[in-house]
Structures are given as C-alpha cells and as structure tokens.
C-alpha cells in the first residue's frame, strides 16, 4: 500500500481553507508535510509548526515536519520547535532532516519521533541519475540505519529508474518520492532575496524579505535543453510525466510513499 | 593561520612551498575525490618531497560517490592504508560511509581525517556530530560566514579540532557543495557542444538568450515579480547568487583564529597555482601585519580597504 502525502510547507490550515484546498487535501492525503526543506528563513515559528501539526493530527492524518540546512540561528529555532514537537504523538509524527546538525540536535533533545533523511542528504547514500538509482555502498546505508533512519527522500525524475540496492533488506530501506519537482541545487545566499554583500560587510546571517513568496520563475538557460524553475534559494526541474504503471511497480523500487508538491 | 595548497604534479611541490604553502594536498587516481586533477606521479614520491621541505601532505578522498561493493570497500580501506604508508599525513573525507567502514572494521583511520567542505558543516551541532566520529579538522564551506561560525569554532576548539577556510577570491562555487546537481549533467541535457560543462559555473553571459518568466505570482505582487525577474536574470547571467565570503569575512575568520587558509583548484596550471599561493601569502602577511600594528577595528578597516582595491600581485 502506497502512502500518499502532500507538501504544504509553511501554509497554515487556515490558508489552505481560504484557498479552497483544505477539504480536498484532507480527503486525498494521509500525510501532511509541513515545515521547510531548503531555507532556514522559511521555517515556521515553533508554535505555528506545532499548531499546524496538531490540526492535522486531530483530523486523523499523519504529519512529517521538514527541516532545512541550518546555521546557528536555525539551530536555536529548531531547538524550540523540537521541544514543542516532543509533546505530540510520536507514532503519528515524523521528522525529516537535511542537515546532520539537525540530526544531532534531535538526539540531544531526546526527540522520540521517527527521523527521515531529506532530499538534500540523498547523495550520501545514493547515486541518482534520471534512469538509475543505486546504493553507493553497504556502509553508506548502515551509517543511517544504525542511527535509526530507514526512510530516504528523493525526487521523481519522470522515469522509472533501474535500481540496485545491493541486497539491502526492505526494512532497512524505504523511499519517499516527491513529485513533480526535482531539486537540482540549493544555495544559502538566495538567488532572489539576498542583496549583494559589499566587501566591508561580514554577513551575520542570511537576511531577506521573503521575496520567494512573490513568485517562482521559469528560466530558459541557453546552454541546456530543459527549463529550470527557481523558487527562492533552490533551482528545480519539473518532471510531470507519470513514470509508474502501478503501485506494485513502485513498491518494487522500495517506494512506499509519494509526496505531491503543489509548488516547487 | 597556515596556508594549504593543492597540487597535481610533483614538480609543483617545491615552487608552491617557496611561494608560501605550509601544507599541501592532492588527489590520487585510485582514491575518488571531488573535482578534477589527480596527481601525476606517485604518492610516495610526493610525500617524500613534501616532507623533505617540512610540509605535511593530505589526500583528498572526498568523493561522495564511493560506488563500491562490500569487497571493494575493503579494498578501498586497503588503498587508504597504503597511501598512509606512502606518507600521506591526513585524508580529506566527505562520505559518511567511510566512518561506518572504520567502525565496522574496528580500526582507526590509517591517518587523521579532515571533514571536507563537500560534506558541509553549517552549525556547531553538525561539527559536534562529525567530531564524535573522529575528525581532526573541519574544512568549512564558503557558504557559512565568519560571524555565523563562532559556535562552530568553540566546538572545534573544545575538542582540539582545527578549522580551515577557503580563500574568498579563488573559490567561489555559490551553491552548496556536495548537494549540487548542476556540476554534472545528470538531470539536465546540454545543447550541443557544451557536454561536460558545469552549469553552476557557466553564467549565460550578459546579453545572452537567457529567458526568465515569473509563474505562480502571488496576488497583487506582479510588479515585485517583474523586479525580481530582473534580479534573477542579472544573477544567472553574471556570477550567480551573492557571495558570503569577502574581505571582511576573511578578516573576521582570521581574527577568530581559523587555523588554515586553503587554495584548492587542482586543475589550475602550475603557474596559476603558484601565483595564487603567493596571493594567499600576501593577503595573510597583510592581515598579520595590520593586526600586529593597529587596534583590531582599525586593522580590519585598513585590511578591507587594501583588499577592496586588490588587483593581484604584480
């Protein structure tokens, strides 16, 4: 059985409701992905994160809290968020980390929720191409499984990849596949938001005015055939084509959860 | 602060040392490293030359793509051991699988391990995480600023772990190292003649045919979207996103006591490598001279002024 999730990031239930999407989302999806994967400035305030999580848990849905790469400022915010999340039902909440510092912090805070390795960490254990997905070596997987992590998040590439997991057991390796946007690269200094830093200024952090909320952008680069999509600090590609024939074929490649992203 | 320089030929070792390198590093063909430019010549000979000049030698084994079977991982460990026997003083590592390999073998690393910037450390907890795994040095990514690194430095100092930064002038990938799929065309396809290029480094060029179009614009924000499209166009045609590393950031790292300053473009020709190491030495001498003769704020201002007008050594 494939679980189905939707990534709503920082959107609150009230905003989903106002946009007329809440009812539909609650009907279609088992998992709600809240928080932020790529930019620490977009991480919702801890209290808001807890409120959003509690809302979906009350509706009988499960929640995965996404966390981005973090600087010291982000560590401080995550610490408060983890404290609040630790009061939620650990059987219905998961945490996705995209920074080993967040993993360390979760351990320090004694967080009991299940932890997943996010889309910025997959390179630590997979070699991913459009049409192949390969575990790089057995130790790479054990690095994570020995720390209780057995769910790994990837983006769909629009093709069903040939897989090679080197004989890893199904309990050790579960994949979550995000679609239709694949994150190509991320920068801390946002392409849209951060002003240029003059030579006499030593940046104390990444400061922006949340310009990413204004729009995402399609970029046609003269050197490549595909279009790029830029949202905030991350460059994406879009692969809208359905690449699997049945749930069975997904399960064969260890994908047992799909996460729909309405926006990049 | 000491200077670490890359090299890729034995003949570069002596001139780089003379130019001001305190330590040297290279990559070897049989141990996968991030980027291009493996050593031409044996490691043993390189170590002998470096040690003969009183310089330590590190080896970059910082590829994330150690695509090996169980047996090949053991062979990989064997190659690390042979490299250490040949005189390598430290390994620069990015893949976490190396730590698990050592743990499972129940053996210490054949030589101390430096955490590569390809496994980026942005905060003190990430530093703590890898320090617990046994690293002795962290090479900081250039996407973390000096002021953001204070807690990382505290963590390192408490554990006796050294810190290393890149020279802001000669290392400028603006995307997060080790998390970037623009380096290799694995998802995108180059138009003819550009295969093998690195999209993150090749700006489309001003006046080029790059097209930027806003989509999913938030209600009532079309004018802002248009201005942002202009900013994005400018950044994607000339140089990319802003850089955190600059003269001020370098001086702050210097004042915080960063241990090593790195230059690491292995594929640069020998003459370029030597000239860049001279530039590192000149910048470091300038910082040391000013810090030794002026109060810190004045030294910082003078350093920034001098580096802002820096146009390279004559």
């Amino acid at each position: 059985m494939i679980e189905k999730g939707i990534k709503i990031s920082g959107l609150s239930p009230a905003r989903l409701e106002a946009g007329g999407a809440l009812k539909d989302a609650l009907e279609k999806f088992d998992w709600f992905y809240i928080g932020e994967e790529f930019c620490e400035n977009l991480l919702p305030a801890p209290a808001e994160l807890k409120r959003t999580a509690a809302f979906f848990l009350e509706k009988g849905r499960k929640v995965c809290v996404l966390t981005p790469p973090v600087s010291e400022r982000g560590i401080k915010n995550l610490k408060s968020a983890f404290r609040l999340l630790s009061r939620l039902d650990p059987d219905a909440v998961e945490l996705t980390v995209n920074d080993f510092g967040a993993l360390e912090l979760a351990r320090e805070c004694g967080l009991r929720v299940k932890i997943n390795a996010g889309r910025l960490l997959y390179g630590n254990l997979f070699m991913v191409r459009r049409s192949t997905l390969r575990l790089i070596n057995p130790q790479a997987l054990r690095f994570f499984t020995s720390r209780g992590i057995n769910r790994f998040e990837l983006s769909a590439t629009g093709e069903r990849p040939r897989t090679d997991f080197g004989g890893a057991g199904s309990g050790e390796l579960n994949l979550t596949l995000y679609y239709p946007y694949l994150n190509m690269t991320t920068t801390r200094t946002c392409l849209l938001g951060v002003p240029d830093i003059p030579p006499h200024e030593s940046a104390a952090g990444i400061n922006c005015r949340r310009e990413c909320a204004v729009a995402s952008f399609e970029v046609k680069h003269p050197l490549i055939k595909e279009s790029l999509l830029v949202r905030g600090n991350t460059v994406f590609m879009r692969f809208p084509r359905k690449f699997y024939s049945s749930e069975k074929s997904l399960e064969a490649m260890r994908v047992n959860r799909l996460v729909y992203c309405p926006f990049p | 602060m000491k200077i670490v320089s890359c090299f890729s030929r034995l003949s570069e070792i002596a001139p780089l040392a003379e130019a001001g390198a305190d330590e040297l590093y290279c990559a070897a063909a049989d141990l996968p490293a991030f980027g291009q430019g493996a050593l031409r010549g044996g490691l043993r000979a390189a170590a002998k030359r470096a040690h003969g000049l009183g310089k330590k030698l590190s080896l970059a084994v910082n590829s994330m793509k150690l695509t090996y079977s169980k047996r090949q991982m053991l062979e990989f460990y064997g190659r690390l051991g042979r490299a250490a026997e040949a005189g390598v003083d430290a390994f620069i590592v990015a893949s976490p699988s190396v730590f698990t390999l050592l743990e499972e073998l129940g053996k210490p690393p054949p030589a101390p391990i430096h955490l590569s910037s390809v496994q980026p450390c942005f905060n003190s907890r990430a530093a703590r995480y890898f320090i617990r795994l046994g690293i002795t040095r962290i090479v900081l990514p250039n996407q973390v600023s000096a002021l953001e690194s204070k807690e990382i430095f505290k963590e390192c100092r408490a554990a006796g772990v050294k810190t290393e930064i890149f020279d802001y002038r000669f290392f400028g990938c603006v995307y997060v190292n080790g998390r970037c799929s623009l380096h290799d065309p694995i998802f995108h396809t180059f138009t003819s003649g550009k295969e093998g290029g690195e999209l993150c480094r090749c700006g489309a060029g001003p006046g080029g045919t790059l097209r930027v179009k806003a989509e999913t614009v938030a209600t009532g924000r079309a004018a802002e979207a248009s201005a942002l499209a202009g900013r994005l166009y400018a950044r994607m045609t000339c140089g990319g996103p802003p850089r955190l590393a600059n003269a001020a950031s370098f001086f702050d790292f210097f004042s915080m006591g960063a241990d090593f300053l790195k230059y690491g473009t292995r594929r640069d020709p020998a003459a370029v490598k030597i000239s860049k190491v001279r530039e590192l030495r000149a910048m470091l001498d300038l910082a040391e001279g000013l810090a030794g003769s002026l109060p810190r704020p004045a030294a910082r201002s003078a350093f920034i002024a001098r580096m802002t007008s820096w146009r390279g050594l004559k």
Side-chain angles (χ1 to χ4, degrees):
Chain A
M1 178 73 178
I2 304 288
E3 295 180 305
K4 294 188 175 65
I6 181 169
K7 178 183 154 184
I8 60 167
S9 299
L11 288 180
S12 64
R15 281 192 65 191
L16 283 174
E17 172 97 73
L22 183 62
K23 188 167 172 276
D24 198 34
L26 283 167
E27 275 170 17
K28 281 187 185 157
F29 300 103
D30 323 305
W31 281 89
F32 284 77
Y33 277 60
I34 66 174
E36 168 59 29
E37 285 179 281
F38 304 117
C39 175
E40 68 177 329
N41 287 355
L42 297 180
L43 198 62
E48 191 188 330
L49 210 51
K50 191 193 167 214
R51 234 183 349 259
T52 304
F55 174 87
F56 289 112
L57 293 175
E58 273 170 28
K59 299 282 179 197
R61 300 298 179 273
K62 293 182 177 178
V63 169
C64 181
V65 179
L66 298 167
T67 60
V70 281
S71 67
E72 221 55 45
R73 182 160 73 183
I75 285 284
K76 214 182 229 176
N77 293 339
L78 282 186
K79 202 186 261 185
S80 316
F82 288 177
R83 211 170 289 140
L84 292 177
L85 291 175
S86 66
R87 297 179 199 160
L88 299 172
D89 175 8
D91 294 329
V93 177
E94 291 182 0
L95 176 77
T96 288
V97 296
N98 280 293
D99 187 314
F100 286 109
L103 183 59
E104 175 74 8
L105 188 69
R107 196 186 66 90
E108 273 179 31
C109 294
L111 210 56
R112 289 177 302 136
V113 300
K114 193 173 172 322
I115 298 179
N116 311 319
R119 285 198 284 175
L120 287 177
L121 294 186
Y122 73 78
N124 286 295
L125 72 165
F126 295 114
M127 171 87 103
V128 183
R129 296 286 181 267
R130 264 199 192 187
S131 55
T132 55
L133 172 59
R134 178 181 179 186
L135 182 68
I136 58 166
N137 62 56
Q139 282 81 7
L141 179 61
R142 285 201 289 274
F143 180 85
F144 288 94
T145 54
S146 65
R147 287 156 178 86
I149 297 175
N150 61 10
R151 176 168 293 283
F152 306 96
E153 301 185 345
L154 296 164
S155 306
T157 63
E159 290 179 35
R160 189 200 183 287
R162 274 180 290 117
T163 55
D164 176 1
F165 298 130
S170 57
E172 297 175 294
L173 200 162
N174 298 279
L175 299 180
T176 297
L177 213 55
Y178 287 68
Y179 68 98
Y181 302 103
L182 176 144
N183 54 306
M184 296 270 287
T185 193
T186 296
T187 166
R188 286 196 70 225
T189 51
C190 181
L191 279 153
L192 297 177
V194 178
D196 287 328
I197 300 155
H200 59 272
E201 239 179 69
S202 192
I206 303 297
N207 297 315
C208 69
R209 293 187 295 129
R210 310 294 186 272
E211 286 88 342
C212 52
V214 174
S216 57
F217 295 86
E218 185 187 50
V219 176
K220 285 274 195 193
H221 197 291
L223 297 181
I224 62 165
K225 292 177 182 169
E226 300 84 355
S227 291
L228 301 173
L229 285 163
V230 176
R231 187 170 192 103
N233 70 352
T234 300
V235 180
F236 298 86
M237 281 174 76
R238 179 164 35 206
F239 293 106
R241 200 159 61 108
K242 189 177 174 187
F243 59 93
Y244 60 96
S245 52
S246 65
E247 291 200 349
K248 224 172 182 178
S249 76
L250 282 178
E251 281 166 356
M253 53 179 275
R254 306 288 179 89
V255 175
N256 48 22
R257 193 180 298 169
L258 292 173
V259 176
Y260 169 61
C261 306
F263 41 83
Chain B
M1 194 183 252
K2 290 180 173 175
I3 293 172
V4 185
S5 170
C6 63
F7 70 98
S8 50
R9 289 166 190 265
L10 296 179
S11 58
E12 292 169 355
I13 292 175
L16 285 168
E18 198 185 322
D22 300 295
E23 280 193 9
L24 296 153
Y25 86 95
C26 63
D30 64 342
L31 286 161
F34 182 81
Q36 298 164 358
L39 174 66
R40 293 184 193 180
L43 266 181
R44 194 173 296 277
K48 196 175 169 193
R49 283 197 197 190
H51 293 164
L53 295 163
K55 313 294 176 191
K56 284 191 171 175
L57 172 71
S58 309
L59 187 67
V61 193
N62 57 345
S63 172
M64 294 285 278
K65 297 164 189 160
L66 301 177
T67 41
Y68 292 146
S69 64
K70 190 178 172 185
R71 180 182 55 79
Q72 287 169 324
M73 280 300 273
L74 293 175
E75 289 167 4
F76 168 75
Y77 178 77
R79 292 202 295 277
L80 292 179
R82 285 193 290 281
E85 278 166 26
V88 166
D89 297 297
F91 297 108
I92 305 163
V93 163
S95 173
S97 63
V98 176
F99 299 104
T100 302
L101 176 69
L102 295 170
E103 199 180 290
E104 289 179 357
L105 292 172
K107 292 182 179 171
I113 291 182
H114 300 170
L115 184 70
S116 169
S117 62
V118 178
Q119 185 61 262
C121 172
F122 293 130
N123 57 67
S124 58
R125 294 314 195 281
R128 190 177 295 175
Y129 188 85
F130 284 102
I131 287 170
R132 212 173 41 245
L133 294 174
I135 58 164
T136 59
R137 187 184 300 184
I138 294 183
V139 186
L140 287 172
N142 71 340
Q143 286 230 331
V144 64
S145 75
L147 301 182
E148 289 178 307
S149 305
K150 284 181 179 168
E151 294 298 318
I152 299 176
F153 273 58
K154 269 192 207 163
E155 199 72 33
C156 288
R157 233 168 247 138
V161 166
K162 302 289 183 195
T163 50
E164 185 170 308
I165 60 166
F166 283 93
D167 185 300
Y168 70 94
R169 299 163 298 173
F170 305 132
F171 181 83
C173 192
V174 283
Y175 297 98
V176 177
N177 239 348
R179 309 280 187 262
C180 178
S181 300
L182 293 180
H183 259 72
D184 306 312
I186 54 178
F187 299 117
H188 57 279
T189 334
F190 277 103
T191 50
S192 61
K194 297 291 179 188
E195 280 77 7
E198 294 172 345
L199 193 60
C200 47
R201 289 180 192 274
C202 46
T209 52
L210 187 96
R211 278 180 291 147
V212 176
K213 191 178 81 182
E215 54 169 43
T216 57
V217 181
T219 315
R221 304 188 79 173
E224 282 174 88
S226 169
L228 287 174
R231 175 183 268 185
L232 184 57
Y233 178 89
R235 287 183 171 169
M236 292 204 82
T237 47
C238 310
R243 285 148 201 263
L244 283 178
N246 60 11
S249 179
F250 169 77
F251 195 84
D252 291 338
F253 270 126
F254 169 81
S255 305
M256 283 159 57
D259 299 292
F260 294 91
L261 176 65
K262 179 174 241 166
Y263 151 64
T265 313
R266 295 195 304 271
R267 64 186 171 183
D268 275 348
V272 174
K273 286 192 185 98
I274 293 158
S275 133
K276 285 183 176 173
V277 169
R278 282 201 190 108
E279 298 282 6
L280 263 68
R281 175 53 62 198
M283 181 172 76
L284 207 46
D285 288 347
L286 175 66
E288 282 168 357
L290 292 169
S293 60
L294 294 170
R296 193 186 169 275
R300 187 177 187 274
S301 298
F303 177 83
I304 293 165
R306 290 278 291 276
M307 291 311 295
T308 304
S309 58
W310 169 78
R311 297 289 178 270
L313 288 174
K314 294 286 177 289

